[in-house]
């Protein structure tokens, strides 16, 4: 992330500079003792993240945040302070992180990793949520899918880009039914409605289909479950208890669960012939 730091104390600027040199997620572009010099730099240069000291009198820092937010809505802002009493101000201004002094290299590295994750989510227009219930958004607006098309899409997301045969999809979602001609036509009707809705929202390429199978295009969106799986998000983001709670088949796709320590479904199980 292209980063600048604002602090009225030269030694604090040097400390941040020294630590950030060893953190790959931070690319320090400039450092400032004066907040308005920082604002001028941000207007004329591409900046992803601002680490900003806040102290009494706090008005300068708060005014700068308001101006930055108004002009650059997606810029990431971190308050840096020796005290926690400015957290209420940070919440009001939707500051992205609060870093307490004295901080260590590991503390700064952790903050940077969270900010990088947030930056990636802001860059992609499609967001998918799985913890607490399934939802799909484009540019922060919900994509409205009917019940079964939505469940089919959730299943593809849970498979993490692995192909799922249409027969296997039917077995998972309609587990109590045989897969005959009537059931096949019902599935095809649901998938047709899913594709029509996605196309209406300009998301035709989100699902990649063949005559026998489907898979989700994982490059097109950010997903809380994917971040959770690879450790790019705090485990508090979600757990097996809140993963796709509306679907009975969800345990098939968890890397573990409390009851059986079940393995994630292997790609070979997903691609059996239809």
């Amino acid at each position: 992330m292209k980063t600048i730091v604002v602090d009225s104390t030269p030694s604090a600027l040097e400390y941040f500079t020294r630590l950030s040199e060893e953190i790959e997620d931070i690319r320090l572009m400039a450092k400032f003792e004066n907040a308005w010099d920082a604002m001028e730099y941000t207007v004329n240069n591409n900046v992803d993240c601002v680490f900003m000291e806040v102290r009494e009198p706090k008005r300068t820092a708060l005014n700068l945040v308001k101006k930055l937010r108004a002009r650059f809505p997606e810029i990431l802002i971190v308050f840096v302070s020796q005290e926690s009493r400015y957290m209420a101000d940070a919440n009001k201004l939707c500051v992205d992180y609060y870093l307490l002094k004295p901080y260590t290299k590991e503390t700064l590295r952790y903050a940077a990793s969270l900010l990088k994750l947030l930056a990636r989510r802001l860059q992609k227009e499609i967001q998918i949520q799985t913890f607490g219930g399934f939802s799909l958004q484009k540019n922060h607006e919900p994509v409205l899918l009917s019940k079964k098309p939505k469940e089919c899409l959730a299943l593809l997301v849970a498979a993490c880009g692995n192909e799922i045969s249409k027969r296997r999809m039917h077995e998972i979602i309609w587990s109590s039914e045989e897969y005959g001609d009537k059931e096949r036509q019902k599935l095809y009707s649901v998938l047709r409605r899913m594709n029509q809705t996605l196309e209406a929202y300009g998301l035709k390429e989100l699902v990649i289909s063949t005559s026998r199978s489907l898979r989700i295009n994982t490059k097109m969106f950010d997903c809380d479950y994917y971040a959770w799986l690879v450790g790019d998000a705090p485990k508090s983001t979600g757990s097996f208890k809140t993963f796709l709670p509306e679907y009975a088949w969800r345990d098939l796709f968890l890397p573990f669960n409390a009851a059986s320590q079940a393995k994630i479904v292997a790609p070979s199980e997903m691609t059996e012939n239809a």
Side-chain angles (χ1 to χ4, degrees):
M1 294 177 296
K2 294 180 180 179
T3 302
I4 64 172
V5 58
V6 187
D7 199 300
S8 60
T9 307
S11 60
L13 292 174
E14 292 307 315
Y15 182 72
F16 183 94
T17 301
R18 187 169 67 255
L19 295 190
S20 64
E21 286 175 352
E22 302 178 33
I23 299 175
E24 60 182 12
D25 290 336
I26 295 177
R27 179 183 174 190
L28 185 59
M29 306 297 294
K31 49 192 176 183
F32 302 94
E33 295 180 34
N34 183 284
W36 300 111
D37 290 342
M39 180 69 189
E40 183 178 354
Y41 180 90
T42 305
V43 169
N44 296 308
N45 296 274
N46 184 18
V47 175
D48 300 314
C49 183
V50 179
F51 283 78
M52 183 183 309
E53 176 199 36
V54 58
R55 59 188 296 182
E56 296 297 341
K58 63 183 180 181
R59 182 174 300 174
T60 299
L62 301 186
N63 285 341
L64 178 58
V65 171
K66 291 176 183 177
K67 290 183 179 295
L68 285 171
R69 279 280 183 248
R71 188 153 188 171
F72 309 104
E74 294 186 357
I75 200 167
L76 299 174
I77 298 174
V78 179
F79 269 4
V80 183
S81 179
Q82 290 181 327
E83 304 177 66
S84 61
R85 58 177 168 153
Y86 305 112
M87 285 186 176
D89 295 303
N91 288 336
K92 289 178 183 177
L93 295 170
C94 297
V95 168
D96 299 290
Y97 199 81
Y98 199 103
L99 190 61
L100 280 171
K101 296 180 180 180
Y103 54 87
T104 65
K105 180 173 68 177
E106 290 309 310
T107 305
L108 185 59
R109 189 190 304 278
Y110 178 74
S113 67
L114 294 182
L115 292 165
K116 183 180 179 181
L117 176 63
L118 180 57
R120 287 207 305 264
R121 288 181 174 176
L122 289 171
Q123 288 168 2
K124 290 187 178 179
E125 65 176 6
I126 305 170
Q127 306 289 326
I128 293 180
Q129 175 185 311
T130 62
F131 292 112
F134 183 78
S135 68
L136 168 65
Q137 292 188 347
K138 180 180 180 182
N139 293 324
H140 307 291
E141 294 294 330
V143 174
L144 302 177
L145 289 147
S146 53
K147 185 176 180 180
K148 282 303 179 183
K150 184 177 181 180
E151 185 172 0
C152 288
L153 186 65
L155 178 58
L156 293 172
V157 171
C160 300
N162 292 319
E163 286 188 354
I164 303 183
S165 74
K166 292 173 182 177
R167 175 189 286 273
R168 181 60 172 153
M169 176 174 281
H170 184 274
E171 289 175 352
I172 292 172
I173 295 179
W174 291 274
S175 57
S176 62
E177 298 181 2
E178 296 293 331
Y179 189 60
D181 290 341
K182 181 179 179 181
E183 290 74 23
R184 183 184 294 109
Q185 290 305 314
K186 178 172 65 175
L187 171 63
Y188 285 8
S189 175
V190 169
L191 294 178
R192 185 165 54 251
R193 286 188 282 129
M194 178 188 75
N195 289 329
Q196 287 172 344
T197 300
L198 293 176
E199 186 171 1
Y201 281 89
L203 301 176
K204 182 179 179 180
E205 297 178 354
L206 186 61
V207 174
I208 300 169
S209 303
T210 69
S211 60
R212 292 178 177 269
S213 65
L214 304 95
R215 68 179 178 88
I216 198 79
N217 185 351
T218 59
K219 295 180 180 180
M220 287 186 62
F221 60 91
D222 285 310
C223 177
D224 55 357
Y225 179 50
Y226 296 178
W228 184 81
L229 280 175
V230 300
D232 276 352
K235 294 302 182 186
S236 59
T237 298
S239 72
F240 67 88
K241 293 180 181 179
T242 60
F243 175 70
L244 296 177
E246 64 268 58
Y247 302 127
W249 45 258
R250 69 188 190 104
D251 284 0
L252 291 173
F253 296 91
L254 287 167
F256 57 84
N257 64 55
S260 63
Q261 300 296 308
K263 301 291 185 181
I264 192 165
V265 174
S268 60
E269 293 181 65
M270 293 290 94
T271 55
E272 63 177 272
N273 290 334

